Amino acid sequence: MGAFIGSMITIIIASFIAYFAKKRIEDTFFIAFAFISFTLYIFGIMGTLSTGVIATVIISLICLLIFAVHLTFNKNKFRAKKDNVVRYVLTPGFVVFIFLTVFFVILNYGREYYLNDEFSHWGLSIKNMFALDELYCVQDSSDTFKDYPPFATLICYFWSAVTGGFNESYTFTGMGLLMFSCLLPVFKVFGFKDKKTLGMVPLFVSLCFVITASLKLSAFTILAVDTLMALIPVYIFLIYFIKGRDTAKNCDMCITDIIFIAIALAALTMTKGIGIGFSIYVVLLL
């Protein structure tokens, strides 16, 4: 059960953003991941990562409470609110994320760190954050590469820390879901009412795995961020170019899209040192 807690919190935050921003949840899963990482980063700077985990859980519960109160308040508008939940939250991408959670939990069951990189940084950094309750860049850390940005590592840390202890397999699950969340905007072109195209969803899921594996065969079974560095720009381009079923036809870009892209660019700079250069290049391509 512990392996699913991180996903449940992510779903709550992503659903909250999707509903009130009137964006399909396929767009907001990555934003939810970014919110979790940025929150932990702020508390990590203050030297209390565990408090950041607690704060994130509390915020997700507040989001759930606001969501529930909003849906039940003013019952005359309940049908319209229900329709918005179906339109923006209960989408094919929502189902895909649940499937991916189960898939990655099974895939990574019992998995442990085994690569040199995981003992010199990616896994070691997470262990240091558990031991010190601070970011791995502090003086007392035994991490080899203390200057690496912590965006993805904080997600791996959270997936384990939210269960109350350290579990290596959970960190892999968090990383896999983070990477795949960059590809989820592809699924906002599908709808449950469109039976003709709905059958293509499994094909698109398979294609996403194949394309990602072509970048790095072991992409979903390691903690290194090389593949993620390629997938975040993909997320940005998907937000920019794919309008989806519920975007106004006369609106190519809205303020929410711009905010999402800005958040993704910030996440890219926090993923690896060269992320700043990647971000500039992506902006020039848009």
Side-chain angles (χ1 to χ4, degrees):
M1 183 61 184
F4 296 94
I5 296 177
S7 287
M8 288 189 289
I9 292 172
T10 305
I11 288 172
I12 292 172
I13 297 173
S15 299
F16 182 85
I17 298 172
Y19 181 84
F20 288 102
K22 289 182 170 37
K23 299 291 292 184
R24 289 272 295 252
I25 198 169
E26 289 90 343
D27 287 347
T28 63
F29 273 119
F30 179 79
I31 303 302
F33 277 106
F35 174 81
I36 293 171
S37 183
F38 293 166
T39 301
L40 291 179
Y41 184 68
I42 292 171
F43 280 92
I45 292 175
M46 295 188 290
T48 175
L49 275 172
S50 57
T51 304
V53 174
I54 296 171
T56 303
V57 174
I58 293 174
I59 290 171
S60 69
L61 293 176
I62 292 173
C63 289
L64 182 61
L65 179 61
I66 294 174
F67 200 10
V69 171
H70 173 77
L71 290 176
T72 55
F73 183 74
N74 193 351
K75 294 184 178 180
N76 293 330
K77 295 183 179 180
F78 179 76
R79 181 177 294 274
K81 295 175 181 178
K82 179 183 176 181
D83 290 342
N84 283 339
V85 171
V86 173
R87 179 180 302 165
Y88 299 117
V89 179
L90 301 180
T91 67
F94 181 89
V95 177
V96 169
F97 186 82
I98 293 176
F99 163 77
L100 291 172
T101 296
V102 176
F103 173 80
F104 282 120
V105 168
I106 295 174
L107 177 68
N108 296 309
Y109 181 77
R111 188 178 298 278
E112 298 178 345
Y113 304 148
Y114 67 99
L115 296 175
N116 291 335
D117 285 351
E118 290 165 353
F119 289 106
S120 63
H121 173 66
W122 303 113
L124 184 60
S125 62
I126 299 172
K127 292 181 178 180
N128 272 283
M129 289 192 288
F130 269 98
L132 303 173
D133 199 27
E134 294 183 87
L135 295 173
Y136 53 80
C137 59
V138 298
Q139 185 176 0
D140 293 336
S141 171
S142 62
D143 190 65
T144 308
F145 302 99
K146 297 180 182 180
D147 58 338
Y148 274 29
F151 176 74
T153 310
L154 285 170
I155 294 298
C156 298
Y157 164 82
F158 178 79
W159 234 256
S160 182
V162 76
T163 67
F166 177 62
N167 186 302
E168 295 183 10
S169 66
Y170 293 172
T171 64
F172 288 102
T173 298
M175 187 64 176
L177 288 170
L178 169 61
M179 287 192 291
F180 212 100
S181 70
C182 298
L183 302 173
L184 286 177
V186 168
F187 297 95
K188 65 184 178 181
V189 300
F190 299 108
F192 285 121
K193 293 182 180 180
D194 191 348
K195 304 298 183 182
K196 294 181 179 179
T197 61
L198 190 60
M200 296 179 64
V201 171
L203 174 62
F204 270 67
V205 173
S206 301
L207 285 175
C208 288
F209 273 107
V210 171
I211 292 171
T212 305
S214 68
L215 297 173
K216 194 175 185 70
L217 187 60
S218 57
F220 292 114
T221 57
I222 59 175
L223 299 178
V225 299
D226 305 290
T227 306
L228 182 62
M229 289 292 294
L231 292 179
I232 295 178
V234 171
Y235 170 81
I236 294 172
F237 293 135
L238 291 176
I239 293 294
Y240 186 83
F241 288 109
I242 299 182
K243 293 171 62 176
R245 289 176 166 269
D246 300 293
T247 305
K249 294 182 179 179
N250 60 349
C251 176
D252 291 329
M253 282 284 287
C254 64
I255 186 63
T256 311
D257 293 326
I258 296 172
I259 293 173
F260 285 2
I261 290 174
I263 292 172
L265 289 171
L268 188 57
T269 61
M270 282 183 57
T271 300
K272 208 169 185 179
I274 59 174
I276 297 176
F278 270 54
S279 297
I280 295 173
Y281 186 63
V282 168
V283 171
L284 292 175
L285 289 175
L286 293 177

